[in-house]
Amino acid sequence: MSAPALTAVTDPSLIHVLRRLELIEARVRAAGARRRATDPETDDRFRGLYISQVHVDRLLAKKSGPAAPDAGAAKDLGEIEAAADAAEREGADLRLRRLARNFHLDEIDIELLLIAMAPDVDARFERLYGYLQDDVSRRRASIGLGLELCGLPSSSAFARSRLAAGSPLVDEYLVQVEEHERPVLTRPLRVPDRVAAHLLGSDIADPVVAALAYQCEHAMPEQAATLVRWMGEAHFPSPSGGRQDGGSKLAYIRERPGASGAALASTAFAQVGRATLALDLERLRPEDDVSLVAALSAREAGLTGAGIVAGSVEVLITRGLPAVRAFSEMPALVVLVGARSWDPGWARDVPFICEAPIPDARQRAELWRRNLNDDTPPSLDLAGTMAQFRLTAEQVHRAARSARMEAHAREVPLDEEELKAGARAQNAAGLERLARRIQPAVGFADLVLPPDTMAQLKELLTRARHREQVLDVWKMGGPSARRRGLTALFAGPSGTGKTMAAEVLAKELGLDLYTVDLATVVDKYVGETEKNLDRIFAEAERVNGVILFDEADALFGKRSEVSDAHDRYANVEVAYLLQRMELFDGIAILATNLRANLDEAFTRRLDSLVDFPEPEAEYRRRLWGRSLGTNMPRAADLDLEFLAESFKLSGGAIRNIAVAAAYAAAEAKHPLEMADLVRATQREYMKLGRMVVESEFGPYYHFLG
């Protein structure tokens, strides 16, 4: 390195690297001088392009061996390292020293690394290495030249092992040995661009790693206490050094819906003074070499002193056991996350295993408050309003950003509706392949139900809103309680408002409604129905929504005595549902027209059973008025009192009649008349299989002629 260039540098870390490279340059100069002293063909302009007879004779006469140690160089090295010691005492972070500590490199490893990196820092080394290797096309140091410049004999097994498989330089991808078809001593050495750039001061991650990396949010600090004790200074060296007692460098965090193992690990890393390298393995492409990705990730963690958190492990499982072991056995402090229990066959080491805790209502409110900062609406009860959204720390962060963007786009203050919309936007799309998603648009004001039914629905809403506080904060379920979900049965004749009531509950909670399509569930092949149901429940636990099983008696029917194989497998389906409902953590509503057909074992598992009776006359009158709306022009002869008193119909049937009559009025281009409603009622009666009796239609029977 030239003196003027070095004096212009102020970064202590870069000064340390450049001064070490000056020593390499001095060794190259000495090696060049030895070549010139013993080479009679130094003036040959074709040198390096051919081998003359004189050159052959000189090679045969020469006895190879390392150069004698240079006392001056040793003194210079001592001065450089003394200056580095002083810089570190003053708080400087010397990257070459940190790299040596994190990758457990010896002094010989550092020398070889610098020799291989020199052409990437100073282009003069390309030609100098070409001269020393007697080949102008060989612009990088070979293994043989590297050992020679280090003063090591090329026949030394120890010296060769520093650049062989199993050495930290090679295994950690700090130095790459290329052209393996060549003899060992002539194989060129290359330092990957990421390593050279890091030593020169760059923090831009390797592109392969950067494609998977993401910014990980932190969980609540108290949740990470156990993980912090595991990864504390007593067991693992920190980036600034420390002792190591041989403890495991692998941890596995099992996640449940609403819990984030990545956030937990990131919080623990921060508390022990480490950065977090968070990897989203879902971003792996089919053509990616998982072993290479793991090795480059471990190298990135070593360069930056970060801990790795990678998930989910299920992605690696689909690629086979070697893919899982590539990450679980990487030479870095790594935390894997996944939904499955740990399989001992996934790693040779014994990992530290823990479970990511699900934040309770208070902790969720604190996460929202932390992400909203001063934007929190003053009248909003975060613990009560947003508690039903089981979101991880990352999801809360994204939901808050989404809510801010929504409010900004609509030019309105940030309020409860935007926050709920932001939370709903975090739902995974997997359930939409198995169920129909409905964004609720009706509220309690749109329901026409008896007071007792309405009261039961509001009680169910109260349970949904406060179950987090009652079960998690107050611990009313007890330590042995496993059931965390909320299940209700809506029973009543068709058209009495069961589906609409489910939509109202979802609307009041700020959740989406997912209606399970039985066509995607029931399968004629044995065991397939259970698999479909398991997929539905698993996806439902990943979303914040209300799941509705319409016509539930088709799935949750009574078990019967076994008389043939069909009965046995039908009973297995029901038994599976009983078990799966017990473990379901979400909100599920079963709707049925045939309550008597449901298995009695479901009764104990129901939190609420709401009956939807056929509406009486006063409710039918309100339903007629609600169904006709306020925008449609009405004729003066409409007699809604007669319709309500005479025709005992459900709300769904009344709506059908109103819509059919509206079409008839639109076709005739006149206001809605009583005749339109009477004729539509006749059509509905025919659909329902009822008799059209003159006494029931009274003075309006003549419209049917």
Side-chain angles (χ1 to χ4, degrees):
M1 306 299 113
S2 62
L6 186 54
T7 55
V9 177
T10 58
D11 178 17
S13 179
L14 183 56
I15 290 174
H16 182 230
V17 172
L18 295 180
R19 292 194 66 188
R20 289 297 301 262
L21 286 172
E22 281 185 337
L23 295 183
I24 302 300
E25 181 180 345
R27 294 184 187 182
V28 170
R29 289 179 184 276
R34 289 194 296 273
R35 295 287 197 281
R36 288 192 299 273
T38 59
D39 190 350
E41 301 178 88
T42 54
D43 295 331
D44 187 352
R45 61 177 177 170
F46 297 108
R47 176 182 173 82
L49 299 179
Y50 75 105
I51 300 176
S52 66
Q53 183 61 47
V54 175
H55 194 184
V56 172
D57 293 339
R58 181 174 56 81
L59 289 174
L60 292 175
K62 180 182 177 182
K63 293 184 179 180
S64 61
D70 186 344
K75 180 181 178 183
D76 291 340
L77 177 59
E79 292 176 353
I80 292 172
E81 293 307 310
D85 291 337
E88 285 191 328
R89 284 194 296 270
E90 294 176 2
D93 176 23
L94 303 187
R95 295 189 176 213
L96 182 60
R97 283 195 164 189
R98 172 152 55 85
L99 180 143
R101 285 192 296 264
N102 290 348
F103 292 101
H104 309 291
L105 302 183
D106 295 335
E107 179 59 31
I108 182 61
D109 299 319
I110 298 172
E111 295 282 353
L112 290 170
L113 173 66
L114 291 171
I115 290 168
M117 190 180 81
D120 298 299
V121 181
D122 190 336
R124 294 179 302 149
F125 281 95
E126 291 186 69
R127 285 168 289 178
L128 292 171
Y129 286 172
Y131 171 78
L132 293 177
Q133 297 174 107
D134 204 18
D135 187 340
V136 295
S137 66
R138 296 173 63 189
R139 300 189 170 198
R140 291 191 176 276
S142 63
I143 292 178
L145 179 58
L147 297 180
E148 178 188 344
L149 293 177
C150 289
L152 297 172
S154 59
S155 59
S156 168
F158 168 77
R160 287 170 172 250
S161 70
R162 308 317 296 171
L163 292 169
S167 68
L169 287 178
V170 174
D171 285 1
E172 306 278 7
Y173 282 76
L174 299 175
V175 173
Q176 290 179 274
V177 181
E178 300 179 330
E179 300 181 28
H180 287 271
E181 71 280 1
R182 283 180 171 272
V184 172
L185 293 178
T186 58
R187 293 173 187 171
L189 303 175
R190 186 175 71 84
V191 173
D193 293 345
R194 171 61 184 128
V195 178
H198 171 77
L199 290 175
L200 297 177
S202 172
D203 290 318
I204 300 175
D206 185 282
V208 174
V209 180
L212 305 180
Y214 66 97
Q215 187 66 37
C216 190
E217 292 298 311
H218 287 183
M220 303 306 295
E222 64 270 18
Q223 294 179 322
T226 303
L227 202 58
V228 168
R229 284 193 293 272
W230 166 73
M231 63 173 64
E233 291 290 338
H235 292 279
F236 301 106
S238 68
S240 59
R243 71 183 185 87
Q244 182 177 10
D245 67 356
S248 173
K249 286 191 173 185
L250 172 66
Y252 179 72
I253 302 177
R254 185 171 179 266
E255 293 179 320
R256 292 178 292 168
S260 172
L264 188 70
S266 178
T267 302
F269 283 137
Q271 292 186 29
V272 299
R274 284 183 179 269
T276 299
L277 176 57
L279 303 176
D280 181 5
L281 300 182
E282 297 282 355
R283 299 180 188 175
L284 281 171
R285 300 171 301 176
E287 65 270 21
D288 285 338
D289 182 343
V290 177
S291 297
L292 177 61
V293 171
L296 295 180
S297 300
R299 184 184 72 189
E300 189 67 32
L303 293 176
T304 59
I308 296 176
V309 54
S312 67
V313 74
E314 284 77 11
V315 176
L316 300 176
I317 293 171
T318 61
R319 299 200 176 205
L321 185 58
V324 182
R325 288 181 174 173
F327 273 86
S328 66
E329 297 178 356
M330 65 167 61
L333 180 57
V334 59
V335 178
L336 295 179
V337 298
R340 299 191 182 191
S341 297
W342 177 260
D343 185 337
W346 289 347
R348 286 174 292 184
D349 204 353
V350 178
F352 173 76
I353 301 174
C354 65
E355 192 164 280
I358 299 176
D360 59 27
R362 178 187 60 80
Q363 291 168 332
R364 286 201 192 102
E366 183 58 35
L367 284 173
W368 279 101
R369 197 171 291 111
R370 190 171 73 189
N371 282 278
L372 292 173
N373 295 324
D374 298 331
D375 296 333
T376 306
S379 60
L380 179 62
D381 176 17
L382 288 175
T385 303
M386 307 306 294
Q388 68 264 18
F389 292 99
R390 292 197 166 194
L391 301 179
T392 65
E394 294 95 338
Q395 290 173 323
V396 170
H397 176 73
R398 291 197 297 267
R401 287 191 61 191
S402 176
R404 284 196 188 93
M405 288 189 288
E406 177 78 11
H408 178 74
R410 295 173 55 194
E411 296 183 334
V412 297
L414 184 65
D415 61 14
E416 180 178 331
E417 289 305 313
E418 276 74 35
L419 290 176
K420 287 181 176 179
R424 287 196 300 271
Q426 308 312 309
N427 282 344
L431 188 57
E432 294 187 29
R433 297 191 297 267
L434 306 167
R436 184 165 55 93
R437 176 178 171 269
I438 300 172
Q439 187 168 348
V442 292
F444 273 110
D446 300 295
L447 285 177
V448 178
L449 293 170
D452 184 59
T453 304
M454 193 72 80
Q456 290 185 72
L457 288 176
K458 290 185 176 179
E459 289 172 6
L460 184 60
L461 177 62
T462 298
R463 294 185 70 134
R465 278 180 172 163
H466 300 290
R467 65 186 179 127
E468 305 293 336
Q469 181 175 355
V470 171
L471 296 178
D472 293 338
V473 180
W474 293 350
K475 308 294 183 184
M476 292 302 293
S480 62
R482 295 181 181 177
R483 189 164 176 274
R484 318 295 293 173
L486 182 64
T487 308
L489 174 66
F490 290 177
S494 178
T496 51
K498 299 184 295 297
T499 302
M500 187 176 181
E503 188 175 343
V504 168
L505 286 175
K507 169 74 172 176
E508 293 295 324
L509 292 169
L511 305 174
D512 287 328
L513 178 67
Y514 293 87
T515 304
V516 175
D517 183 0
L518 293 182
T520 66
V521 178
V522 179
D523 198 296
K524 66 179 180 179
Y525 294 104
V526 173
E528 290 302 313
T529 299
E530 291 92 324
K531 291 179 182 178
N532 293 335
L533 284 167
D534 186 64
R535 282 193 287 269
I536 288 174
F537 279 114
E539 290 292 340
E541 287 173 338
R542 295 177 57 201
V543 304
N544 289 279
V546 177
I547 184 169
L548 172 65
F549 290 91
D550 206 358
E551 308 297 340
D553 50 281
L555 287 174
F556 300 82
K558 285 184 177 180
R559 287 168 288 185
S560 61
E561 292 186 4
V562 177
S563 59
D564 56 26
H566 294 288
D567 293 335
R568 180 160 64 89
Y569 288 120
N571 288 348
V572 167
E573 288 182 10
V574 177
Y576 168 78
L577 278 168
L578 288 169
Q579 293 178 344
R580 194 62 183 83
M581 290 289 290
E582 188 83 17
L583 300 175
F584 183 55
D585 280 347
I587 302 174
I589 295 175
L590 317 178
T592 180
N593 305 336
L594 303 169
R595 174 181 168 184
N597 285 0
L598 289 178
D599 195 285
E600 294 179 1
F602 281 107
T603 304
R604 180 181 66 82
R605 290 165 170 82
L606 295 174
D607 296 291
S608 181
L609 197 161
V610 184
D611 281 312
F612 288 75
E614 290 278 10
E616 298 295 333
E618 70 169 292
Y619 298 109
R620 292 198 295 268
R621 171 66 181 82
R622 289 165 57 188
L623 286 168
W624 278 108
R626 189 70 56 80
S627 298
L628 294 178
T630 58
N631 296 327
M632 183 169 54
R634 303 185 187 185
D637 68 337
L638 291 189
D639 188 354
L640 300 185
E641 290 292 343
F642 174 82
L643 294 171
E645 291 288 343
S646 299
F647 303 119
K648 296 181 179 180
L649 296 166
S650 67
I654 291 172
R655 180 189 175 280
N656 290 342
I657 294 170
V659 171
Y663 278 117
E667 174 66 20
K669 296 183 175 57
H670 63 225
L672 183 69
E673 298 177 348
M674 191 65 177
D676 299 321
L677 290 171
V678 171
R679 294 190 190 101
T681 302
Q682 179 195 26
R683 295 284 185 267
E684 191 68 18
Y685 263 44
M686 294 173 65
K687 281 168 52 181
L688 297 173
R690 293 187 183 182
M691 295 289 293
V692 178
V693 182
E694 182 177 355
S695 60
E696 200 168 352
F697 283 79
Y700 301 103
Y701 185 75
H702 66 278
F703 287 136
L704 305 181

